[in-house]
Amino acid sequence: MHLAWNHTGTFFDEPQVWYVARVKNLGHGNASVALDGRALDKTGTIVGSNQAVLPNIPAGASFDYFGYLGGGGALDTKLTGTPSTVQVVEAKNAFGQAGAVDEPMLKTGELVLKQGHDDTNTNAAYSYNLTVKVINSTHDTVAGGVTQQVVLYDATGSVVGGDTGSSDNVPDNLPTGMSYREAWTGIPAVAKAVRAVYTVWPG
C-alpha cells in the first residue's frame, strides 16, 4: 500500500484533503485490507484522520482507493490544523474485519464520462459527469445500499480527481444478475481528465 496522489483544496469553503491509496493484492485469492488515512501538519501532528475497509481485491490486481479528510459539509469533520502531508498505512485488525471482510466489487460496464458544468462545492477547476451500468455479479441479493467511488485520470495515467460516497440510485433490493444505471454529476478534478474508473461494492 502506498500513497499514489493527494491534493488539498476546499469543500464548502473549508480545507479538505483528497487522497488515493494504491493497494496491490500479492496473494493467490481475493483479499481485503483496512487502511488508516492521516493528514499531518508540518510538525508531523495529525490534523485529520479516517479508517476504511476496502472491498475484496482480486489476486494480483491493484486497486486505487479514493478518500478524503476534512471539509465543510454537514457530515464532515473539520481539520484541526493546516495539512502539509498525507500518510496512508495498513490498519491492523480494524473493526475485527481487516483481511476477512466479504465485500466483492460489483461488475460495471458502459461507462460514459463527460465534462460537466456542475458546482462541485469545491475549488477544483474541472467538473465531470458519468453514467455507468452496474450488475449484481455476486451470489446474493444486494440490499441495504452500496459504497461507490470514482477516480479520474489524465492522459498520462496520473490521478487528477475523484469522489466517493453512497449511491442514491441503487434499488432497495438488487437480485443476482440484475443491473441498474448509475448517474453521477459534479465529480471534481484539478486538471483535465480523460478516463474514469468507477468501483462499487455492497455496504
Side-chain angles (χ1 to χ4, degrees):
M1 176 186 301
H2 70 275
L3 182 69
W5 176 80
N6 70 98
H7 172 77
T8 300
T10 63
F11 181 66
F12 283 105
D13 299 320
E14 292 286 342
Q16 185 174 67
V17 175
W18 307 335
Y19 68 88
V20 170
R22 186 160 294 160
V23 183
K24 185 175 178 65
N25 180 3
L26 301 177
H28 299 290
N30 290 349
S32 63
V33 67
L35 65 82
D36 284 316
R38 305 180 183 117
L40 311 176
D41 67 15
K42 63 181 180 181
T43 71
T45 303
I46 296 173
V47 296
S49 64
N50 61 12
Q51 192 174 85
V53 177
L54 278 57
N56 299 151
I57 303 169
S62 292
F63 175 66
D64 281 357
Y65 173 79
F66 183 95
Y68 67 88
L69 301 162
L75 300 178
D76 296 303
T77 301
K78 295 182 181 180
L79 299 173
T80 58
T82 303
S84 177
T85 60
V86 176
Q87 181 185 78
V88 291
V89 296
E90 182 177 347
K92 303 297 183 183
N93 300 317
F95 316 123
Q97 301 181 89
V101 66
D102 183 21
E103 292 183 353
M105 299 180 200
L106 302 183
K107 184 178 179 180
T108 63
E110 302 177 19
L111 188 151
V112 177
L113 180 70
K114 294 182 179 180
Q115 190 164 343
H117 304 284
D118 296 288
D119 183 1
T120 63
N121 299 312
T122 74
N123 63 345
Y126 294 85
S127 171
Y128 288 88
N129 304 330
L130 70 75
T131 59
V132 63
K133 183 178 180 179
V134 180
I135 305 99
N136 181 3
S137 50
T138 74
H139 298 294
D140 300 304
T141 295
V142 173
V146 298
T147 299
Q148 60 179 345
Q149 68 164 42
V150 59
V151 182
L152 301 177
Y153 302 85
D154 67 13
T156 70
S158 298
V159 177
V160 293
D163 205 354
T164 186
S166 299
S167 173
D168 294 327
N169 304 322
V170 63
D172 290 337
N173 288 282
L174 184 67
T176 298
M178 290 201 73
S179 60
Y180 68 97
R181 188 76 59 181
E182 184 69 80
W184 202 332
T185 61
I187 304 162
V190 298
K192 188 173 182 179
V194 300
R195 183 172 68 93
V197 175
Y198 171 89
T199 312
V200 58
W201 60 94

